[in-house]
Amino acid sequence: MPLRTTTSLLSPVRMSTVQELLLLLLLPLTLLALQASLCLGACVEVDSDTEAVANQGFKLGCISCKMRGEVDATASVNWYFKASDETEFTHLYNYEDEVGDIIDPRFYERLDWNGSKHTKDLQDGSIYILNVTFNDTGTYHCIFNRVFVYPNYEYQTTPNKTIFINVVPRLTRGIASILSEVMMYVSIIGLQFWLLVEMIYCYRKISAAGEEALRESAAEYLAIASESKDNCASVQVGE
């Protein structure tokens, strides 16, 4: 009978320890999942690459995020190009009402829309150039024509970006790019190591707490059993 009582006292303590350990292990994963889900709809204004490789494709990035996401808006995008040996910009491309139009004949059948799709509320106005040539070296100007639609009026803005593109025979990587990649991998490894140390620390802490709880439960049970035994002995002596 005492053995059964001891087992019933120890089992809840062990179950509680396992549950706490599982919760601590799942908490970081849950936070990462929530952070990833919150980032799905975010708009980030990333600068375009500035070095294109001849005879390959190249994405000209142009992103203009809305500061008031709850306000309805429509937008069109116009691109302008000035070659390295030219003094004035020429109209290169227009995208409006989900329809793109190549205006500069130098880019016929070599340019495609690579920005926001299936919406008139444009935030990504990027384009993609096929079969880049050395003549594509120059300055590109991207202009958004955005109209915010309020209940009683409309407000128009024209955010713009200027990008200088240099066409090279082959891609070269700068020191900054290499260092950034190395630091990224170092950060990932460091975070994984920190998470491993944290998990080991939490496991040991919970294990120590569980053992202490087991000892306290066993001591309490022995005290109760000893008291019961003394009470039985006093009853027999009285009889």
Side-chain angles (χ1 to χ4, degrees), residues 128-206:
Y128 193 84
I129 303 175
L130 300 172
N131 300 323
V132 174
T133 68
F134 290 102
N135 293 329
D136 297 334
T137 298
T139 305
Y140 294 80
H141 198 49
C142 166
I143 302 177
F144 280 80
N145 184 15
R146 177 173 291 132
V147 179
F148 291 95
V149 181
Y150 292 91
N152 299 321
Y153 68 99
E154 296 181 351
Y155 180 76
Q156 183 175 350
T157 60
T158 56
N160 61 88
K161 295 181 182 295
T162 301
I163 309 162
F164 178 77
I165 302 300
N166 183 35
V167 181
V168 296
R170 60 180 179 274
L171 185 63
T172 58
R173 295 186 62 187
I175 294 297
S177 175
I178 297 174
L179 289 177
S180 298
E181 185 174 352
V182 171
M183 290 302 298
M184 179 187 68
Y185 287 115
V186 170
S187 300
I188 293 175
I189 295 173
L191 289 174
Q192 290 180 343
F193 178 75
W194 173 82
L195 180 60
L196 178 62
V197 171
E198 192 72 16
M199 291 172 60
I200 294 175
Y201 170 77
C202 292
Y203 174 78
R204 289 182 176 179
K205 189 173 181 180
I206 294 174

Side-chain angles (χ1 to χ4, degrees), residues 110-130:
R110 291 200 305 122
L111 194 148
D112 194 15
W113 178 253
N114 199 237
S116 303
K117 294 180 172 63
H118 310 298
T119 178
K120 294 183 180 181
D121 187 4
L122 305 177
Q123 298 189 69
D124 187 351
S126 305
I127 57 177
Y128 193 84
I129 303 175
L130 300 172

Side-chain angles (χ1 to χ4, degrees), residues 6 9-10 212-226:
T6 304
L9 288 173
L10 299 183
E212 182 65 24
L214 289 175
R215 286 193 294 269
E216 291 179 358
S217 299
E220 183 179 356
Y221 171 75
L222 292 176
I224 294 174
S226 177

